[in-house]
Amino acid sequence: MQLVVFDLDYTVWQPEMYQLNGPVSLVKADDWMGKQKRKARTPPRQVPPGSATTQKGMIVTDRTGTPITVFDGASHALSEINRMKKEGGWPIQVAISSRTDEPSWARKCMEWLVVADGTPLSKCFDQNLIEISYADKATHFESLQRKTGLDFDQMAFFDNEHWNIRGVSELGVKYFHTPTGMTREAWE
């Protein structure tokens, strides 16, 4: 494979942008943990795995405090790609194909959230290969094909939605269905 393409919502992170209540922001993790109204016997909430950001001690939430987290498998896969690129042994491009209804929120999440190796999501992808629009995935892939000059059979796609997978498989793209978010097993 010469191009690996990831969907964002419920493949790289959760929840999906349409599920959020208002725009995303960075909040202090300590404040977020303390905002929980709880009974005396209920343990305090913990910072969820996958919520690391570029700002130490901060997490990304919507205005009601719902945290946005990176799936472990996505974090692992993107960190592995970063490692392989640094070692120079794997000439691969990395792209996004996302139909999110809140592209500005998605871009903020990419700017703030980091993967396991500490790299911001925004730096894990080739900047000219980011397709975030409400167009269908086949349209995204046709654009990626024009930009890269690669044949569709040299592309791999990870997505949680079966109907998106079906659309790009007809082009000849190798696909990986991740219905519960990106997993390490899907990457391996």
Side-chain angles (χ1 to χ4, degrees):
M1 289 300 119
Q2 295 182 29
L3 177 65
V4 178
V5 184
F6 294 89
D7 174 44
L8 292 175
D9 285 349
Y10 218 75
T11 300
V12 170
W13 62 51
Q14 64 180 334
E16 296 194 30
M17 295 292 108
Y18 83 87
Q19 295 173 311
L20 299 178
N21 186 344
V24 296
S25 62
L26 280 171
V27 299
K28 290 181 181 176
D30 288 342
D31 290 348
W32 178 82
M33 288 188 296
K35 283 185 180 174
Q36 180 185 26
K37 292 182 181 176
R38 59 188 179 91
K39 297 177 182 173
R41 293 185 181 155
T42 307
R45 62 180 166 186
Q46 301 294 309
V47 173
S51 61
T53 67
T54 56
Q55 307 295 313
K56 188 172 172 61
M58 306 286 276
I59 63 171
V60 181
T61 72
D62 69 4
R63 68 177 158 215
T64 63
T66 301
I68 294 83
T69 60
V70 177
F71 282 106
D72 177 64
S75 182
H76 171 75
L78 291 166
S79 293
E80 281 294 298
I81 292 169
N82 292 341
R83 182 187 59 76
M84 290 185 272
K85 283 177 140 184
K86 284 179 186 167
E87 291 175 355
W90 201 28
I92 190 163
Q93 298 175 77
V94 188
I96 293 171
S97 174
S98 177
R99 293 188 65 208
T100 187
D101 18 13
E102 296 294 347
S104 64
W105 300 357
R107 289 184 189 281
K108 280 291 185 192
C109 287
M110 288 175 52
E111 181 183 322
W112 291 330
L113 291 167
V114 298
V115 296
D117 69 2
T119 304
L121 279 173
S122 61
K123 302 287 187 205
C124 293
F125 302 98
D126 293 81
Q127 297 305 297
N128 63 327
L129 301 179
I130 295 175
E131 296 289 330
I132 300 177
S133 72
Y134 214 67
D136 66 41
K137 300 292 177 122
T139 301
H140 288 174
F141 273 82
E142 289 164 354
S143 175
L144 292 169
Q145 197 272 335
R146 281 191 302 277
K147 291 175 181 178
T148 63
L150 296 172
D151 292 333
F152 291 119
D153 64 0
Q154 292 300 307
M155 301 177 186
F157 180 46
F158 295 87
D159 196 307
N160 66 305
E161 298 286 350
H162 196 268
W163 59 280
N164 287 332
I165 296 290
R166 216 177 11 239
V168 300
S169 69
E170 293 171 4
L171 298 173
V173 173
K174 183 171 174 108
Y175 61 87
F176 300 89
H177 187 219
T178 59
T180 57
M182 183 72 184
T183 63
R184 288 177 182 243
E185 293 77 21
W187 177 247
E188 304 299 327

